[in-house]
Amino acid sequence: MPNFTFTTNGVQIIGCERSLCSLSELPLELLIEILKEVEWKDILHIRKTSKRLSEVSRTRALWLNLFYRYTASDAAQSIQLERPIDTYASHELEYLLLRWKSAEIGWITDDGVPARERRIPTEKAETKHLVKGGRWLLIATSTGSVIYYDLESSTNIGTLLTPSKFGHEESVLQTLMSVDIDESSPTLTFNLALSFMGDKFLDDWGDVNNDPPLEPVRMIKIWRIALVLDDKQHGAGLSAKYLASFPHHPFVSDLYSLSLLGSHVAFTVFCSEDNKEYSIVVDWARANGTSSKYPKRILSQPNGSRSIYLLPNNRLFIVDLYDIFIYDYSAIEERITGDDLFSTPTMPLWEVELEDIGHELISKPFISCDSHTTRFVCVAGNALHGIVIDDDSKPGGQPQIVKLMDIPFPFDRRRPPCLGYRQAVSTTGASEAFLMRYSWPGEEGHEDRLPTFLTKIYSFCPQYPNFGPLMDEGSGRVVFSSRVDSHQIVLDVALLYK
C-alpha cells in the first residue's frame, strides 16, 4: 500500500494514501495531533468507536493539551491545581476538566435536582470557608479551633487544623476568617487569618456551684496552611504553621469584616468608646506580639465601612451603607495608637454610589493578572452588577459598572447569596437552591451566554439556616449549613456525578 510522510511538531508521520483509511489505522502520533484539535465532548464520543481509539483518547498528552487550551481562555481561573501539573496523571487531568465543563452544563440544566447530594456531620460552625478547588472545607468552632473536611473523601471525618486556644466549649466567640492563596507556590498553600471577638470561660474555675467567670478575647491570628503529600505525591491532608498574632484595641467591641492579602490584614471594627466604626490596616508580621500598641493605618467614614477588601498595589476597597470606595492605604499615615483610636482624614481615589447596595451582597474580589483588573459582583437594586477596577487606579478615576442580569426577587440578607465570577447561588432557607449564571460584556462568547435563573430541589434542609451558601465555580460544588445544625449539605451540580 502506498504511503506518505510529513513532519508536524518535529515528528515524522507515515500515513496511508488511500482515501478510505480508517482513523484507527493512523499512527499514534498523528492520531494524537488530530484529536488535539477536537472538543472534549467529541473525545468522549470517539472513545466509544473502537478499542484503539479508546486507548488513544486516554493519552496524557491529549488531556494536557485540552487542559491548557480551555484554562488559557478562562478569565475566571476556575480550576485550582493542588500540586504541579506534571504530577497529574492522564485520568486526573481528564477528571478535573470533565468536572469543570460538566459543572458549567449542570448549572444551566433545568432538571430540578442536583447531580449529587450529601449530608456530612461536622462540628458546629461559627464561620466557614470552602477553599478554591472545592475539596477542603474549613470550619471555625466556638472555641477557636479550625477543623478541615476533605469533601473528596468517602469518610468525611474532620481533622484538627489549628488548635483551640479558648478551651471551654461554651465560650462565646465571634469568629471571622479570611484566606489568601499563594499563587506562586507549586502546591496548594495559603495564609489563614482568624479574628476572635468575645468571651471565654476560665477552665480552672474551682467553684462547681457557680458559673465560671468570663475573660474577654479580642485578637487576630495568622497561620500558614500547606497541602500534605503522601508517598505518591498526592494531596492527603492539610498542615498548619503558626505565623503571628496580635490583640485588637481594648475599645473594639465588634468586628464586621476581615481581609488578608500578602503581609497585610485589614478589618472593620466598632469602637465602644466613641461609638464609631473604623477600617484598620496592619502589617501582621510587625504587629506580632501581645501589645495593642502596634503600627496601624486607621480610616473612619461617616456612614461606616461594613465590608473591606485588600487589593493589589496598596489599595483598599470599602463598601458602606450607600457607596463603594477605593483608597490608597499607603497614603494613610501609619501610627502607633494609645488608648484612643483616631484617624487622619483621607480622600479616596474614587467613590461610586450604587442603589441599595448592601455589604452582605457583594462578592469576594476576582483578581486577573492577564487583564490587570480586579472585579466584583454585587447586588444593587433588582439586578446583579459587575464592578471592573483597573489595577493602576488613580485619583479621579472611575470603575466600570456593568449590568450582568436582573434578579426576580430580593435576596434574604440574613442568608446572603454567594456571588461568583460567572455564577451565583442563593437560598430561602427551604430545600431550594437558586442558581444564576451570567457573563461579562466584552468577554469571548458573551453574546452566546444568556443569563439563566433556575431552581434545584434537594432532600436535606439545614435547621434554621443563618449562613449564606458557599460555592466553588470550578467544581460546581455548593455547601449549605447553619450555626445550630452540626451538618453540612453538599450539593454537586457537575453532571459527572450523575
Side-chain angles (χ1 to χ4, degrees):
M1 179 187 305
N3 292 331
F4 64 89
T5 63
F6 68 94
T7 300
T8 177
N9 294 334
V11 178
Q12 187 179 55
I13 304 299
I14 301 176
C16 55
E17 190 177 57
R18 61 188 175 94
S19 59
L20 297 180
C21 177
S22 168
L23 184 64
S24 61
E25 293 181 81
L26 294 175
L28 176 61
E29 295 85 351
L30 180 57
L31 265 178
I32 292 175
E33 292 302 318
I34 292 173
L35 295 183
K36 282 181 179 180
E37 301 302 318
V38 303
E39 300 297 322
W40 63 271
K41 289 183 181 179
D42 299 321
I43 298 293
L44 301 183
H45 290 308
I46 291 171
R47 175 177 293 176
K48 300 175 182 179
T49 60
S50 73
K51 181 178 180 181
R52 182 165 188 256
L53 289 178
S54 176
E55 293 173 351
V56 174
S57 72
R58 304 175 197 277
T59 305
R60 186 179 186 279
L62 176 61
W63 286 101
L64 183 63
N65 175 78
L66 288 169
F67 184 89
Y68 280 134
R69 189 208 305 176
Y70 286 112
T71 55
S73 59
D74 176 31
Q77 300 175 335
S78 303
I79 295 184
Q80 175 72 45
L81 293 180
E82 289 192 337
R83 57 187 199 272
I85 195 168
D86 58 6
T87 67
Y88 281 80
S90 177
H91 70 276
E92 293 176 305
L93 293 173
E94 178 179 338
Y95 171 79
L96 285 175
L97 186 60
L98 294 186
R99 184 177 65 169
W100 172 33
K101 304 311 284 187
S102 70
E104 289 182 341
I105 298 172
W107 205 266
I108 58 174
T109 300
D110 196 4
D111 56 3
V113 293
R116 183 173 68 169
E117 176 180 349
R118 292 173 290 165
R119 188 170 187 260
I120 299 174
T122 65
E123 296 289 330
K124 289 183 180 179
E126 286 298 311
T127 188
K128 57 183 182 174
H129 182 89
L130 184 61
V131 179
K132 185 177 179 181
R135 178 179 180 182
W136 306 105
L137 177 66
L138 310 181
I139 288 183
T141 72
S142 63
T143 63
S145 64
V146 174
I147 313 294
Y148 74 83
Y149 295 83
D150 182 357
L151 301 185
E152 293 294 307
S153 170
S154 58
T155 58
N156 301 128
I157 298 175
T159 303
L160 182 67
L161 183 61
T162 65
S164 167
K165 291 296 182 183
F166 313 116
H168 202 288
E169 64 180 8
E170 298 301 324
S171 297
V172 182
L173 294 175
Q174 175 201 12
T175 306
L176 293 183
M177 182 188 305
S178 181
V179 167
D180 175 29
I181 293 182
D182 183 354
E183 301 290 355
S184 66
S185 175
T187 58
L188 177 65
T189 305
F190 56 90
N191 283 352
L192 172 67
L194 295 166
S195 175
F196 305 106
M197 186 75 62
D199 301 289
K200 72 170 184 176
F201 288 99
L202 297 180
D203 287 334
D204 56 357
W205 181 243
D207 187 348
V208 296
N209 298 315
N210 295 288
D211 290 333
L214 295 173
E215 178 182 341
V217 174
R218 287 157 177 76
M219 66 186 310
I220 288 180
K221 287 181 173 288
I222 311 292
W223 298 81
R224 183 74 164 174
I225 312 300
L227 182 72
V228 176
L229 300 176
D230 61 17
D231 294 339
K232 296 181 180 180
Q233 296 301 295
H234 292 168
L238 300 176
S239 65
K241 177 183 178 182
Y242 170 78
L243 295 180
S245 66
F246 56 91
H248 285 296
H249 191 279
F251 293 154
V252 169
S253 57
D254 284 296
L255 192 78
Y256 300 128
S257 183
L258 180 71
S259 177
L260 177 66
L261 183 65
S263 61
H264 287 83
V265 61
F267 42 97
T268 56
V269 301
F270 176 77
C271 180
S272 58
E273 184 70 12
D274 56 10
N275 292 322
K276 289 184 179 181
E277 295 176 10
Y278 295 93
S279 300
I280 302 174
V281 181
V282 174
D283 182 328
W284 49 263
R286 293 172 58 203
N288 185 27
T290 58
S291 172
S292 63
K293 296 182 179 180
Y294 47 80
K296 54 181 76 72
R297 305 176 194 271
I298 304 175
L299 179 68
S300 178
Q301 293 179 267
N303 297 317
S305 50
R306 293 302 181 91
S307 284
I308 187 170
Y309 292 98
L310 290 165
L311 303 182
N313 300 332
N314 301 325
R315 292 169 306 153
L316 193 62
F317 181 88
I318 292 178
V319 181
D320 72 5
L321 297 177
Y322 309 102
D323 307 284
I324 56 176
F325 303 83
I326 283 281
Y327 287 90
D328 177 0
Y329 68 78
S330 66
I332 302 173
E333 183 180 359
E334 189 176 54
R335 296 184 178 183
I336 299 177
T337 56
D339 293 335
D340 297 324
L341 288 173
F342 58 90
S343 62
T344 303
T346 305
M347 292 296 296
L349 296 176
W350 54 254
E351 127 183 42
V352 173
E353 180 180 356
L354 286 179
E355 176 190 1
D356 297 330
I357 187 172
H359 68 275
E360 311 98 334
L361 305 181
I362 193 162
S363 73
K364 67 178 182 180
F366 302 101
I367 299 172
S368 172
C369 297
D370 294 334
S371 63
H372 303 289
T373 61
T374 299
R375 302 186 180 206
F376 290 86
V377 176
C378 70
V379 179
N382 296 315
L384 293 181
H385 294 268
I387 306 170
V388 184
I389 305 168
D390 289 334
D391 284 350
D392 59 349
S393 299
K394 296 179 175 60
Q398 292 290 305
Q400 180 185 4
I401 309 294
V402 296
K403 184 178 178 180
L404 300 177
M405 69 177 292
D406 293 314
I407 51 179
F409 54 80
F411 291 124
D412 187 344
R413 291 175 182 263
R414 295 170 301 170
R415 293 177 286 269
C418 184
L419 304 173
Y421 186 82
R422 288 200 183 104
Q423 292 153 182
V425 59
S426 69
T427 182
T428 60
S431 299
E432 297 176 315
F434 301 106
L435 308 186
M436 291 149 275
R437 189 192 73 164
Y438 38 84
S439 61
W440 294 76
E443 287 191 347
E444 182 180 354
H446 167 68
E447 294 78 8
D448 300 327
R449 297 193 192 103
L450 297 177
T452 61
F453 186 98
L454 54 87
T455 304
K456 303 275 189 181
I457 306 296
Y458 53 97
S459 304
F460 302 114
C461 180
Q463 183 183 8
Y464 307 115
N466 50 4
F467 277 121
L470 301 178
M471 172 185 64
D472 178 68
E473 291 187 82
S475 62
R477 182 160 290 160
V478 178
V479 179
F480 293 98
S481 72
S482 76
R483 282 191 176 90
V484 297
D485 187 6
S486 299
H487 287 83
Q488 308 296 318
I489 311 303
V490 181
L491 309 182
D492 288 297
V493 303
L495 299 183
L496 185 72
Y497 296 112
K498 280 284 191 181

